[in-house]
Amino acid sequence: MERHAATRCVHLHAFLLLVLLHTSLAVRCPPDQAFALLRLKHSFQQPLLPSWRARTDCCRWQGVSCDAASGRVAALDLGDQGLKSRGGLPRALFQLTSLRRIDLSGNNFGGATLPASGFEQLAELTHLNLSSTGLAGQIPAGISNLTKLVSLDLSSNSGLSGAIPEFFAELRSLAILQLSNNVFNGTCPRGIFDLKSLRVVDLSGNSDLSGELPELPPGSSLEVLDLSVTNFYGRIPSSISNLKRLKTLDISVGRLQSLSTLRLQDCGISGAIPSSILNLTRLSELDLSQNNLTGGIPMYRKGAFLNLEKLELCCNSLSGQIPSFLFSLPRLKFISLMSNNFEGSIQEFSDPSPSLASIYLNYNQLNGSVPKSFFSLTSLQTLQLSRNGLSGTVQLSSFWRLTNLSNLILSANTLTVVVDDKDYFNSSPSATVPPINSLGLACCNMTKVPSILKYVLVKDLDLSCNQIGGSVPKWIWAGRNENVDVFKFNLSRNKFTGMELSLANASVYFLDLSFNSLPGPIPVPISPQFLDYSNNQFSSIPQDRLSSSFYLNMANNTLHGGIPPMICDSRNLELLDLSYNYFSGHVPSCLVDGRLTILKLGHNHFQGTLPDDIQRGCAFQTIDLNGNQMEGTLPRSLSNCHHLEVFDVGGNNFADSFPDWLGNLTKLRVLVLRSNKLFGPVGTVPTNSHQNRTHFQSLQIIDLASNSFSGSLHSQWFEELKAMMVIRENDDGRQALEDNLSGKFYRDTVVVTYKGIARKFTRILTAFTVIDFSANAFTGSIPESMGELASLRGLNMSHNAFTGTIPPKLGHLTQLESLDLSSNQLHGAIPEVLAALTSLAWLNVSSNQLEGAIPQSGQFLTFTVDSFQGNAGLCGEPLPKQCNSGAPSSGDENNSKDRVETIVLYLVAGSGYGLGLAAAILFHVLGKRCSLNRRMIELNI
């Protein structure tokens, strides 16, 4: 009886809900609204709008929308309905005073003029579209009362004429103004452009409309400005560069033939450069840099750009071949096409420009050889070709014939630069030496130091990434050994074995000697800012001169002893890397007080405890103390380091519990605690409310291997690892955690066990996520919530005491490449879903208590016996033990049940999708109930 009463109650609630729903939808439009709409219909010539019938609810008529509360007509959407009316806009339209939106576009009003009165009655109107309706006359004054108007479209009415009204500037809500392709004339009101809400202004196609663009207000929302085929004149205001939302700009540049300067830098302009720009015969400066331009540079037209002196197209997405005519323009002095997608070879050209002084083509995809025509540009001062794919051989002495050359940058191509300038200067003692100030010849397959350095002091010298050996010659600074003041001196990644050059009296801002074989004391110039001595054989540090440095890298040398006190005196120091040396003693508190941004002391012999006096406002982003002999507890004052991204103290003797308190550092991405003496539980659930939880939300690498952590892992703790749950779209794995310290590219490194091998990752990829909890004393089951960490690439839970089964949800880890669950106490079958992990390249589930058949599909066909040995109950390839195929496994039973459900769904599909789906669901529910009853019977037996 109670069951029947409950059923009746449910039926009653459903009936009442239907009644309420019907009542809420029963609002009908008032009779006066229906009458006005019928009058509107009868004003049209043809009997269209068949749903508009008397004694029916007008709110259900085609194109009519009503206010939900009052039932009054709120919108008319009758665009492109083939309506015709020779009498113009029907007066009945203005009786619908609740209208907020009107769209009558694409109909035919027979060339009638806009009514002089009526619009003032539509005070609620926000959108009015009368485009392409054949209306004529002037814009009526009544529109000035439409103070709520957001969008006005009167475009493509060839009869609309007269002046554009001044009152448009008073419509403060106006966002879209489209008046194109009419016959408006006179001067456009300047006040229109002061409307901060205005997003679209299209006045194009009004050939008699004139005006001058005023300075645009700060904070303007303008996205589209189209003044093409108008008579606008004057200069383009400089404030147009502040339009950060601008997407389309058409100012009909082909008609502005008197224009001399066009600067549209960083305006968000997209699309191709219009060919009409070649019509600007008086143009002397064209700057379209830092936009979203695509396509190529328009092909040459006779007489084009004859007065052009500066062409700035950098930092777009322009492509195709660079047209050679640019280098022949008679007055061109400066050309920058850097940071685009130009490709192909630079063609030879005739009539080299006599005035061309600066060429910037770096950061493109150019190939082929350096054109010989460049050596005929007699006024050339700067040639920047770096970061391309240029190839072939070029004689260095060819450039010295350019007597005005001061900046030559050929770095990072596949060029072979032949250093033949010794013979050039010896054969012609009176040869003019160009005033080289900046020389970039990095990665140019050079084996010798250029001889021009004997004769000219180069302030910015980059010879890195070559094959130059021997000692650094003392004449490299024009034979001067003292009182030298230069900006950059980069000899890194060569084969230098000694230093003839003394740096004692040299002032160098940027000094990079890394990746050579330089021995002895580290040479330090006067007041250096950036110093990189890493990967050499330096054995000692001077006791002064480092106080002004902000970047100091001495990694991978043979330095020993304690940290020199003068490093603590470097108040400007941001990065300090002393890793992979032989330093010993205590880490001074001055290095861990929070002033540094990057601190790398890994792989030395430091001892003792870490000071725990890190100040508020801590600037640390990276702390790497891996591979030392430090002990004690982890300093709790690290919680002041809210910018910390990498914390690596692996390979020490720290004895402490898991630092849950680091979970509040929202930028922490890498946490390495492996090979210490840490103990206790891991993964306790934070006590703060779920809404405010930020626990380890950015973590992408966590390595706790080889400690004494114990206890079970709480499933909810892994639900906090938000960064591991996101698969980044369009991420090809090249993006890294990188800092740009005043121009120096810096990359963090970390060592993790990946695919069974300890690997050093020089770049910590944002797409690279790893969990390593191996070699601890964890118990209980592996949390199923790990299956939600969708971006996980490596998971190592080996050498613990985990029990239970392998969670099938690990099959959700579509990015997983390495999985190690070996040496635990896991039992049950290997989930079949793991075979669908197409990225899985390395698997180890050996030394467990697993049983059943090894999956025989997908990546499992590539794994060897080593992946599965030590599980007595496992069978099937690649193990020698064959499976007994007589009795179906539970997995087979489930698959059989799934197949039956699928068959039922298809069998009843002919009766309709809804019935088929309902039957399948019913079968599924009844099947589960029968299965439950069967299990209960078995338990009773």
Side-chain angles (χ1 to χ4, degrees):
M1 291 297 292
E2 291 180 356
R3 180 180 301 174
H4 291 304
T7 302
R8 286 197 301 270
C9 184
V10 170
H11 290 168
L12 180 59
H13 287 170
F15 175 76
L16 291 175
L17 181 62
L18 289 173
V19 170
L20 289 173
L21 181 62
H22 176 75
T23 303
S24 66
L25 298 176
V27 177
R28 299 167 63 91
C29 77
D32 66 309
Q33 301 287 284
F35 180 71
L37 288 172
L38 290 174
R39 286 188 60 194
L40 181 64
K41 173 182 177 179
H42 293 318
S43 65
F44 299 123
Q45 294 177 356
Q46 299 182 17
L48 302 176
L49 305 174
S51 64
W52 290 31
R53 292 179 287 110
R55 293 182 297 279
T56 61
D57 184 5
C58 71
C59 292
R60 298 179 181 272
W61 292 354
Q62 176 188 351
V64 178
S65 299
C66 296
D67 182 77
S70 66
R72 299 182 67 81
V73 177
L76 280 181
D77 186 1
L78 300 176
D80 297 305
Q81 294 297 314
L83 305 176
K84 294 183 180 180
S85 173
R86 293 181 180 176
L89 288 178
R91 303 296 301 180
L93 181 68
F94 302 121
Q95 296 177 12
L96 301 169
T97 56
S98 297
L99 277 172
R100 293 192 288 270
R101 306 176 74 98
I102 297 176
D103 184 355
L104 296 174
S105 61
N107 294 296
N108 187 352
F109 292 101
T113 60
L114 281 168
S117 62
F119 281 106
E120 64 276 3
Q121 301 176 48
L122 306 179
E124 301 298 317
L125 203 62
T126 61
H127 292 73
L128 177 60
N129 188 347
L130 299 176
S131 62
S132 304
T133 53
L135 289 166
Q138 298 183 346
I139 296 176
I143 290 182
S144 65
N145 292 336
L146 306 183
T147 57
K148 297 181 180 180
L149 202 61
V150 172
S151 175
L152 176 62
D153 190 348
L154 301 178
S155 60
S156 301
N157 290 294
S158 57
L160 285 180
S161 60
I164 294 178
E166 294 277 354
F167 63 68
F168 278 166
E170 304 300 322
L171 301 178
R172 297 301 177 187
S173 299
L174 194 63
I176 299 175
L177 178 62
Q178 294 177 305
L179 304 178
S180 62
N181 299 312
N182 287 291
V183 288
F184 292 116
N185 53 38
T187 302
C188 181
R190 295 165 63 97
I192 290 177
F193 301 100
D194 289 331
L195 295 173
K196 289 190 175 181
S197 60
L198 206 59
R199 292 188 289 109
V200 176
V201 177
D202 189 352
L203 307 179
S204 61
N206 292 280
S207 56
D208 294 328
L209 182 65
S210 64
E212 185 176 4
L213 271 179
E215 292 293 336
L216 299 166
S220 173
S221 301
L222 206 59
E223 297 177 6
V224 176
L225 177 60
D226 193 342
L227 304 179
S228 58
V229 197
T230 65
N231 243 343
F232 271 74
Y233 57 90
R235 60 182 289 278
I236 296 176
S238 59
S239 56
I240 203 166
S241 63
N242 296 326
L243 301 180
K244 302 304 182 184
R245 301 184 182 181
L246 193 64
K247 298 176 181 177
T248 301
L249 176 65
D250 192 340
I251 53 176
S252 186
V253 294
R255 296 171 55 88
L256 302 175
Q257 296 183 358
S258 62
L259 193 68
S260 63
T261 300
L262 179 59
R263 294 193 192 109
L264 299 174
Q265 181 183 13
D266 194 16
C267 290
I269 305 170
S270 58
I273 299 174
S275 58
S276 60
I277 205 165
L278 297 172
N279 295 335
L280 303 179
T281 56
R282 298 186 182 181
L283 198 65
S284 64
E285 180 180 345
L286 175 61
D287 186 349
L288 303 178
S289 59
Q290 300 181 55
N291 284 290
N292 301 310
L293 295 172
T294 55
I297 296 175
M299 295 303 295
Y300 180 68
R301 184 183 303 163
K302 187 176 181 180
F305 290 159
L306 294 182
N307 292 294
L308 193 65
E309 297 180 3
K310 183 176 182 180
L311 177 61
E312 177 65 271
L313 299 178
C314 98
C315 314
N316 281 284
S317 298
L318 296 169
S319 58
Q321 200 166 30
I322 294 176
S324 59
F325 80 86
L326 294 175
F327 307 110
S328 300
L329 293 175
R331 296 188 178 182
L332 193 64
K333 298 178 181 178
F334 179 97
I335 177 172
S336 176
L337 307 180
M338 64 179 289
S339 298
N340 278 285
N341 298 318
F342 290 113
E343 56 191 1
S345 60
I346 308 172
Q347 299 297 311
E348 301 287 348
F349 50 90
S350 57
D351 300 323
S353 171
S355 57
L356 191 55
S358 299
I359 299 176
Y360 291 86
L361 305 181
N362 47 316
Y363 288 95
N364 278 285
Q365 301 169 28
L366 302 171
N367 54 40
S369 58
V370 177
K372 291 182 173 57
S373 308
F374 278 171
F375 304 125
S376 300
L377 297 169
T378 55
S379 297
L380 198 61
Q381 298 175 13
T382 295
L383 180 59
Q384 170 56 281
L385 301 177
S386 66
R387 302 285 176 176
N388 279 287
L390 298 174
S391 58
T393 300
V394 61
Q395 308 291 121
L396 191 57
S397 62
S398 301
F399 293 100
W400 306 152
R401 295 183 174 91
L402 301 173
T403 57
N404 295 304
L405 193 64
S406 60
N407 303 290
L408 175 63
I409 314 295
L410 304 179
S411 301
N413 285 281
T414 55
L415 289 168
T416 296
V417 174
V418 177
V419 181
D420 63 341
D421 55 349
K422 180 179 180 180
D423 297 334
Y424 171 77
F425 290 113
N426 288 342
S427 62
S428 179
S430 61
T432 303
V433 180
I436 298 294
N437 180 69
S438 178
L439 182 60
L441 298 175
C443 304
C444 287
N445 296 305
M446 293 164 42
T447 58
K448 295 188 293 185
V449 176
S451 294
I452 194 174
L453 299 176
K454 292 181 179 180
Y455 306 100
V456 61
L457 178 61
V458 176
K459 296 293 188 74
D460 187 338
L461 177 65
D462 188 352
L463 302 181
S464 64
C465 183
N466 281 291
Q467 301 173 35
I468 309 173
S471 295
V472 179
K474 60 183 178 181
W475 49 259
I476 202 168
W477 283 331
R480 285 178 272 183
N481 291 329
E482 56 185 39
N483 300 325
V484 172
D485 187 357
V486 299
F487 172 75
K488 180 180 180 181
F489 189 52
N490 190 348
L491 302 181
S492 65
R493 298 181 185 274
N494 277 285
K495 299 179 179 180
F496 289 113
T497 56
M499 288 280 294
E500 292 180 4
L501 178 68
S502 173
L503 299 179
N505 297 310
S507 178
V508 185
Y509 178 89
F510 180 110
L511 175 63
D512 193 345
L513 300 176
S514 63
F515 290 93
N516 282 285
S517 298
L518 298 171
I522 286 180
V524 181
I526 300 171
S527 303
Q529 300 290 304
F530 178 101
L531 294 172
D532 193 342
Y533 301 107
S534 63
N535 297 279
N536 278 284
Q537 298 173 15
F538 291 121
S539 56
S540 61
I541 306 175
Q543 297 301 312
D544 56 3
R545 296 196 172 196
L546 296 177
S547 60
S548 60
S549 301
F550 70 87
Y551 183 105
L552 180 57
N553 189 347
M554 301 181 183
N556 285 285
N557 280 284
T558 60
L559 303 172
H560 55 274
I563 294 179
M566 55 86 187
I567 290 182
C568 284
D569 297 332
S570 302
R571 309 305 298 177
N572 298 320
L573 200 60
E574 295 180 29
L575 179 144
L576 177 64
D577 190 347
L578 303 179
S579 56
Y580 293 95
N581 279 287
Y582 300 93
F583 287 107
S584 58
H586 288 71
V587 175
S589 59
C590 68
L591 298 185
V592 288
D593 60 4
R595 289 184 295 113
L596 292 174
T597 300
I598 309 291
L599 176 63
K600 297 175 70 69
L601 303 178
H603 301 279
N604 282 282
H605 302 299
F606 290 113
Q607 301 173 334
T609 61
L610 266 181
D612 195 3
D613 56 353
I614 300 175
Q615 304 299 311
R616 291 186 178 272
C618 164
F620 275 130
Q621 294 179 10
T622 295
I623 299 176
D624 182 358
L625 304 174
N626 194 299
N628 283 284
Q629 301 164 22
M630 305 195 69
E631 57 189 13
T633 60
L634 300 175
R636 268 45 176 181
S637 55
L638 276 172
S639 59
N640 291 324
C641 302
H642 297 290
H643 302 288
L644 192 64
E645 296 183 4
V646 177
F647 184 58
D648 184 351
V649 292
N652 281 281
N653 296 313
F654 287 108
D656 202 348
S657 58
F658 178 74
D660 239 350
W661 39 273
L662 287 176
N664 294 323
L665 302 182
T666 57
K667 296 183 179 181
L668 187 65
R669 296 181 181 228
V670 178
L671 178 60
V672 178
L673 305 176
R674 71 178 297 123
S675 301
N676 277 283
K677 298 178 180 179
L678 304 173
F679 55 86
V682 171
T684 56
V685 181
T687 57
N688 53 329
S689 65
H690 183 74
Q691 291 82 358
N692 297 323
R693 234 175 243 165
T694 58
H695 213 60
F696 293 112
Q697 65 177 18
S698 299
L699 206 59
Q700 66 185 65
I701 294 176
I702 178 170
D703 187 350
L704 309 183
S706 302
N707 279 285
S708 298
F709 291 120
S710 59
S712 59
L713 298 175
H714 201 292
S715 181
Q716 191 174 347
W717 188 84
F718 292 92
E719 296 173 3
E720 305 297 325
L721 307 181
K722 304 300 182 185
M724 294 190 183
M725 297 181 179
V726 180
I727 299 177
R728 293 168 179 81
E729 297 181 1
N730 301 321
D731 194 337
D732 58 5
R734 291 179 295 179
Q735 194 174 6
L737 298 179
E738 295 158 351
D739 292 310
N740 190 334
L741 292 174
S742 301
K744 171 63 178 180
F745 199 61
Y746 179 78
R747 296 170 180 167
D748 281 306
T749 60
V750 69
V751 177
V752 296
T753 300
Y754 185 65
K755 298 183 181 179
I757 301 173
R759 300 173 186 260
K760 180 179 180 180
F761 288 84
T762 304
R763 303 176 65 185
I764 302 173
L765 307 178
T766 58
F768 188 72
T769 57
V770 170
I771 292 177
D772 190 347
F773 281 15
S774 63
N776 280 285
F778 291 116
T779 58
S781 59
I782 296 174
E784 288 198 1
S785 57
M786 282 189 166
E788 304 299 323
L789 307 181
S791 65
L792 204 61
R793 300 288 186 95
L795 176 60
N796 190 349
M797 309 294 281
S798 66
H799 294 85
N800 280 285
F802 287 115
T803 56
T805 60
I806 298 175
K809 282 192 175 181
L810 295 184
H812 296 170
L813 304 180
T814 58
Q815 307 294 305
L816 197 64
E817 299 172 359
S818 174
L819 176 61
D820 192 345
L821 304 178
S822 62
S823 300
N824 281 287
Q825 301 171 28
L826 301 172
H827 64 266
I830 298 175
E832 188 76 31
V833 291
L834 297 185
L837 298 178
T838 57
S839 297
L840 192 62
W842 196 87
L843 173 71
N844 191 352
V845 294
S846 64
S847 301
N848 277 286
Q849 301 168 17
L850 300 174
E851 57 189 5
I854 296 173
Q856 297 296 306
S857 61
Q859 291 294 100
F860 275 72
L861 298 177
T862 68
F863 301 137
T864 66
V865 66
D866 294 337
S867 296
F868 307 102
Q869 64 186 1
N871 291 280
L874 281 182
C875 61
E877 295 290 342
L879 294 176
K881 179 181 179 181
Q882 300 301 308
C883 297
N884 181 6
S885 58
S889 66
S890 60
D892 293 334
E893 182 181 338
N894 290 335
N895 290 338
S896 175
K897 180 169 66 69
D898 291 342
R899 285 195 294 271
V900 171
E901 291 182 6
T902 303
I903 292 170
V904 170
L905 178 60
Y906 278 105
L907 285 175
V908 297
S911 301
Y913 176 80
L915 178 58
L917 181 61
I921 293 172
L922 180 61
F923 184 87
H924 179 73
V925 172
L926 292 176
K928 281 194 172 183
R929 182 172 297 173
C930 291
S931 176
L932 178 62
N933 291 338
R934 183 169 61 251
R935 287 197 297 271
M936 292 176 65
I937 292 172
E938 291 172 352
L939 288 173
N940 291 332
I941 291 175

